[in-house]
Each structure stands twice: as C-alpha cells, then as structure tokens.
Amino acid sequence: MFPEVRLRRLRKGKIRGLIREITLSVDDLVQPIFVNETIDSPVEISSMPGIYNLPLSAVAKEAREIAELGIPAVILFGVPAFKDAEGSSSCGETDVVQEAVRRIKAALGDKLVVITDICMCEFTSHGHCGIVDFETKEVLNDPTLEVLGKIAVSHARAGADMVAPSGMMDGMVEAIRTALDFNGFENIPIMSYAAKYHSCFYGPFREAAESGYSFGDRSTYQMDPANSEEAIREVTLDVAEGADIIMIKPALPYLDIIYRVKSEFGMPTAAYNVSGEYSMIKAAAANGWIDEKKAIYESLISIKRAGADFIITYFAKDAARMLR
C-alpha cells in the first residue's frame, strides 16, 4: 500500500515503454479498399475524408502503396455498374471484385494478402444482404446461402487469399466452406463477421459502397446492440461451421464483446474499426477538438487491448506512417 507502493515510479521516460503491456504494429492492420466500376478516376467519399472510391485502373497502384507501407492485407468491397434484385453482378468471373483481385495479384503476387467481403448488399438494387421476398419484404435466409457460396468460389478462382462473409445469414459459413471445398479451395480460410451488430456507425460506409437499403432496415439479420450472450452463440455456431477467423463489428462500442470472444474461444480474432468510428475522429480533428494522431493510436490500441489479433481500419495507412 501507499507510500511503500508507488505506481508512478514506472511511468517515467523509457521505463514507461519497458513495461507496456500491449503494442500496436503495422502487422496488426488491414486496409479496406472500395473499387467502383462506374468511375474513371478516384472519387473522395464525402463522409470519409481521405478515403476514395477507386476505378479498377487505380486498384493495383493503391495496393502497391499499401504494401510499401508494410500493411500486410487489404479487404475489398465492390460497387458494380449493374444492380438487380438478385445481385447477379456479384459472382461472375469478370465482375468488379474478381477483376480487382486479379489486378492486385498480377501486380503484387503474394506481397499482400487479399481478403474479399462476401455479401450482396453492394450488388442488389434493394440494398439488402440477400434474396428478398418483395410481397412480405423479408430477406430470405436459405436461398441466399447458395449465392454466397457462388460469390466465394468466384473470388477464390480470381485469386483471393481469404473470404469474409458479412451478411449475417444463418448457416453462411457452412455454405461457403462446403462450396469452397467442393470446388477445390479447401485451403482458402474464412474470416466470418461472426458478431455483426445492427449499428448506426455504418452510415458513411453506405455512401462509399452505395449500399443503402430501399425499405426497412437490417435489424432482422444483424444483431441487437443490447445483446452479448447472443454474440457468443453466433461465434459458437460459426466456429462449428468452419470459420478460421472470427470478427466483431463495430469495434469501439463493442470492446466488451471482443474481450469475451477472445477469452472464451481463443480463436484468431479480428475487429472492424468501422466507417462511423473513422469519420467521428476525422470530424472532431478537423474542428480542432481532438489530436487526430493521438486519437487514432488510442482507439487502435484499445481494440488490441480488448483482445483483437488484428484490426480492419480505414486508419491503416495513417497508422502505418505514424508507427514508422
């Protein structure tokens, strides 16, 4: 007890660093990329300063810059030129994500891990994450699973290193694992958005991915923010179905979920530091209310401290430059 015990003794100068419990490394970061078939030059996303929608012609250059910063991985989101109710532009061999994967792999080979998001919301005219019954306005779980399997296989054929289903359909991991294995891609890992909450913090992403929904919301398939036991059930099912990595999304409002999942499962665990979390810091920094670099570091280190092995974040490039 005080005065014999003085914890401030260990907070001086370089001693502080010697006893630091958690470290943040560039190896912990994954940078999202938005690739858009409808544009010819990069377009800045108004709600996400510094983040761009990229044409296919610019994807390899962006990936090279990310790799040169030492960031080990990217996750791709695509915006197609054509959308319909079935999301038919999501699983063709030459669709936007598949072509982006090929261009990155042709330019960089294995220097960068290419992860692809597996969902239908960017590709459907209604903006929901699955096949819809328009009479009942219900997102149909089981018919969607077959489509998700086709998307995953098409991404693997294009050269994706990992697939990441994000639609929160029941059975999606099993459906994708079965489809990948049947087509000879048994070594492609699945990173499941295992606990994805129905969150207001996705707002800027919807602008970036042009994935706003035309009716209702996503609360019938994304999780209630009030629930934590449900997250454990979701993760349990995804692990049983064959998920190799599990993800919690968003990150900062759900640090308790990250901690619980890592503690209870001991699985490789990712967290998604989502668009709204990014935009809040950018807006506050632009107004002079906070120190941007310190806020980025504190946010990311808190996600690591909660138990995430790596972080998908729009701050990846900024953080990589800071960590250098």
Side-chain angles (χ1 to χ4, degrees), residues 4 17 65 71 109 118 222 267 298 317:
E4 289 80 9
E65 178 184 339
I71 297 167
I118 306 292
Q222 294 176 354
M267 288 277 294
E298 189 173 338
K317 290 165 66 176

Side-chain angles (χ1 to χ4, degrees), residues 48 59 82 122 130 202 213 231 281:
M48 299 177 70
V59 166
F82 173 75
E122 300 111 289
Y202 305 149
Y213 31 80
I281 288 176

Side-chain angles (χ1 to χ4, degrees), residues 33-37 53-56 59 76-80 96-97 100:
I33 295 178
F34 297 102
V35 54
N36 191 320
E37 261 186 331
N53 254 307
L54 300 175
L56 279 165
V59 166
L76 299 182
F77 300 90
V79 180
V96 59
V97 172

Side-chain angles (χ1 to χ4, degrees), residues 273-296:
N273 181 216
V274 300
S275 59
E277 298 169 55
Y278 173 90
S279 296
M280 285 194 302
I281 288 176
K282 284 289 186 179
N287 280 283
W289 297 335
I290 59 173
D291 182 305
E292 182 174 339
K293 289 184 177 180
K294 289 181 179 178
I296 292 170

Side-chain angles (χ1 to χ4, degrees), residues 138-186:
E138 179 185 0
V139 178
L140 302 174
N141 191 93
D142 294 10
T144 300
L145 298 181
E146 182 179 358
V147 181
L148 297 180
K150 289 179 179 179
I151 297 171
V153 170
S154 70
H155 289 183
R157 283 187 179 135
D161 297 299
M162 184 187 302
V163 297
S166 62
M168 289 298 285
M169 297 293 119
D170 292 335
M172 65 183 184
V173 173
E174 182 179 17
I176 289 170
R177 184 75 273 159
T178 299
L180 289 171
D181 291 358
F182 181 79
N183 286 276
F185 296 110
E186 61 274 2

